[in-house]
Amino acid sequence: MATTEGKILIIDDEEVIRSGCRQILEMSGYSVDEAENGLVGLDKIKKNDYDIVLTDIMMPEMDGMQLLEETSRLQKEMVIIVITGYATLENAITAGRKGAYDYLPKPFNPDELLAKIERGMEHRLHLHEVQMLREERDRNMLECSNERARTLTIINSMSEGVIAINRQGQIVLINPMASKIMRLSEGRAIGHTFDEIIRNPDLKKSIVDSLQEVQEDLKTTRLQFDTIYGRAIEASITPIIDENKECIGTVAVLIDVTEEKKIEKMKSDFMSYVAHELKAPLGAIEGYLNLIIDGIMAGKPETEREMIIRSRDRAHALIALINDLLDLSRIDRKKSLKEMRDLDIGEVVRETVDFYRNRADSKSQILQLDIDDNVPVIRGNREDLSRLFANLISNAIKYTPAQGKVTVNVKRTNSHIRVQVIDTGIGISREAQKNIFDEFYRAQNAVAKKITGTGLGLSIAKKIAEDHHGYIDVQSEENVGSTFQVTLPILKEE
Amino acid sequence: MAKKILLVDDDPDFIEINKTILETSGYDIDTAGSSAEALAKVRSTHYDLAILDLIMEELDSGFTVAYGIRENEKTRDLPILMLTSAEEKTGFTFELAKDQEWMKVDDYAAKPLKPAELLQRVQKLLQE
């Protein structure tokens, strides 16, 4: 006996009807459950899934109408057929309104019962299909809206500006970055043609060309332009081609490259400055050599000797400049490639001061060194820090007249080591102090006094201090002296 | 009377080199190390030729001097030889100076010029 045909619940207070129906239905392969009143029936409906509920209307405890009301709230996928002793139209309509699918008038014979049940089963199957379709549709709708929301979120979070334009030239999408770059609110752009919105003629032309694109493979046009707000923009314009190989619009991707351009310009300015600085001494040397070779100085050996000495000095300064440039590029190298070790700063400073003692002596200068007791070790690159102190001490000696004094202090505070280089030199004007750490900057009074320098020493010193998480500053008064101070943090053991 | 030439350069060695060449050939040489000094001198003294260094200190270039010379009624026709150690391809240099009516330079050359070439150019400008 097949029991997979359908599951049926019979609710009736008359045992005879229940067992009669059960017999007929079970013989036809249905699986049957029974309940003697609405209350018991409702309980069973809650606990089981039935395909069909066959219920009497007149019953004690809970009648059929009440049962219909209760089951409609359960939202179960089942078919309810009411059995009614007095088969009035009125009862049937009321039951129908309350969710019954069909009614079976008493008395009924087995064929009538089976016919109703079969019809109910068909309806049940139909209901199931409808439900399945509805669920599938809901799922699709959810996926669709999720997909759309996801795509929009991605486009809106892009660091590139995106503008989509349809075949009619109307802007259909503009993401926040594009709004920012073009200084256009979404509201002012959407629906308007690019012609009224986009001002740059090159960008306009690329969009027009792109919209007329007919070839199959996507051709991206790249261009660069400046906005009227002074931003440098790199744009890629790509036509959107549909499956019929027709252009249905175009998408412009905009990247703000202002900062990159600035860095590029700084690099190229630096290069041309360096080229000029390298050529000037070579030009001077060549010029002097021309004079000597052409014999113009033949009658004046003293002047000729002076010119040779000048050439030697220029060559010497050129070597110093090249060394500084090499230092600069070495310091610019990745910090991670540098060897960092525990250093006694006092010792590094002492070595540097000792190295320059001869030079100070030759100018009859006093070079004094004071180092605090128990200066802690700090982590650093020895070569770089030696270079930093060497630059400050050699500057102090260079810019301090004979008989002057250069004092070097190493002090510790709670959290820092402070190295001061104090001189009694020509000093630096307030104006020049602002630029003194810039590459190639040279203070006017230094140039006027014909003190040679590359203009790189202090910028190198600043870089090294910053590489060690410290800083450098200067206090100075013209014709009184300068104090350069390097502050380095004492970092706790990690 | 010897022709009077103003040499303008912020590099004392270039002044020294060109001064030596020109003085050896009998010219009367005056020098200036900045554009301000050069302009003051052309206003107070008559020169037959000005030799300018294109790039001096920042914001202080041979152009400043050339412009000042051409702008002034008295010095408008003073011949100018522009010298530079800058690359020609840096763009804003000779071509601009040559074409701009208001500061047209009469000749230009890269530094350093060999003594014979400098003298040749100077003679041409002085129509000797």
Side-chain angles (χ1 to χ4, degrees), chain A residues 72-265:
Chain A
S72 69
R73 281 187 219 124
L74 297 176
Q75 291 191 325
K76 284 213 167 191
E77 241 180 71
M78 61 186 173
V79 170
I80 300 174
I81 297 168
V82 292
I83 308 167
T84 173
Y86 39 104
T88 62
L89 192 59
E90 194 188 335
N91 257 337
I93 290 171
T94 314
R97 276 204 195 114
K98 290 182 191 289
Y101 170 66
D102 205 351
Y103 71 98
L104 183 61
K106 271 199 269 193
F108 51 84
N109 63 35
D111 286 344
E112 281 166 342
L113 172 64
L114 283 171
K116 289 284 180 194
I117 292 294
E118 266 165 37
R119 212 169 87 93
M121 281 306 290
E122 261 172 49
H123 183 62
R124 168 71 184 82
L125 221 69
H126 182 63
L127 273 184
H128 183 66
E129 275 167 16
V130 167
Q131 183 61 26
M132 294 287 281
L133 285 170
R134 185 177 296 140
E135 278 173 11
E136 195 182 321
R137 190 200 61 183
D138 288 352
R139 230 179 3 252
N140 284 343
M141 297 259 289
L142 187 68
E143 267 167 29
C144 278
S145 65
N146 280 349
E147 185 61 39
R148 189 179 144 75
R150 189 165 36 223
T151 309
L152 259 181
T153 307
I154 291 168
I155 291 174
N156 286 344
S157 325
M158 282 169 69
S159 60
E160 290 87 3
V162 178
I163 300 176
I165 294 162
N166 67 14
R167 190 167 28 184
Q168 285 73 43
Q170 289 165 322
I171 293 174
V172 292
L173 180 146
I174 178 165
N175 76 347
M177 186 47 87
S179 298
K180 195 179 155 201
I181 288 172
M182 306 302 288
R183 306 246 178 140
L184 270 177
S185 68
E186 198 181 331
R188 279 222 302 130
I190 298 288
H192 293 265
T193 65
F194 72 89
D195 204 44
E196 12 172 2
I197 296 295
I198 290 169
R199 294 196 185 91
N200 186 275
D202 295 339
L203 182 58
K204 262 187 195 178
K205 188 182 175 301
S206 299
I207 292 170
V208 171
D209 290 350
S210 171
L211 284 172
Q212 283 161 356
E213 199 65 44
V214 281
Q215 59 198 76
E216 293 171 30
D217 42 318
L218 295 182
K219 204 180 80 187
T220 300
T221 314
R222 282 172 223 284
L223 72 144
Q224 238 184 54
F225 64 94
D226 293 330
T227 68
I228 55 166
Y229 306 102
R231 308 297 295 179
I233 307 298
E234 225 168 63
S236 310
I237 319 286
T238 312
I240 309 167
I241 309 290
D242 71 359
E243 58 267 34
N244 301 323
K245 307 201 187 321
E246 270 180 47
C247 176
I248 54 167
T250 190
V251 60
V253 176
L254 310 171
I255 303 170
D256 189 327
V257 292
T258 313
E259 293 311 309
E260 286 84 347
K261 289 270 145 196
K262 264 188 206 156
I263 292 168
E264 223 171 83
K265 183 172 184 319

Side-chain angles (χ1 to χ4, degrees), chain B residues 1-49:
Chain B
M1 204 180 82
K3 291 272 173 70
K4 206 169 167 69
I5 299 173
L6 178 65
L7 268 178
V8 185
D9 203 314
D10 66 333
D11 188 324
D13 286 319
F14 283 105
I15 294 259
E16 178 66 22
I17 291 160
N18 290 335
K19 189 174 176 230
T20 306
I21 297 167
L22 295 167
E23 276 181 347
T24 309
S25 296
Y27 294 107
D28 185 5
I29 304 301
D30 205 351
T31 66
S34 70
S35 55
E37 192 188 349
L39 287 171
K41 286 194 168 176
V42 292
R43 270 168 209 145
S44 59
T45 315
H46 170 81
Y47 296 102
D48 298 294
L49 173 69

Side-chain angles (χ1 to χ4, degrees), chain B residues 20 35 54 64 85 109 117:
Chain B
T20 306
S35 55
L54 176 63
T64 318
S85 56
E117 203 188 335

Side-chain angles (χ1 to χ4, degrees), chain A residues 276 279-280 283-284 286 288 290-291 294 296-297 307 310 314, chain B residues 11 13-14 16-17 20-21 24 55 85 87 112-115:
Chain A
H276 183 254
K279 282 178 83 174
E286 191 186 340
Y288 281 129
N290 283 336
L291 291 181
D294 286 8
I296 291 172
M297 305 317 331
M307 286 182 172
R310 275 304 296 158
R314 293 297 299 248
Chain B
D11 188 324
D13 286 319
F14 283 105
E16 178 66 22
I17 291 160
T20 306
I21 297 167
T24 309
I55 298 172
S85 56
E87 295 272 336
L113 277 173
K114 286 195 171 142

Side-chain angles (χ1 to χ4, degrees), chain A residues 19-31:
Chain A
S19 62
C21 287
R22 175 194 278 273
Q23 264 193 330
I24 297 161
L25 293 171
E26 280 185 348
M27 276 168 65
S28 297
Y30 295 104
S31 130

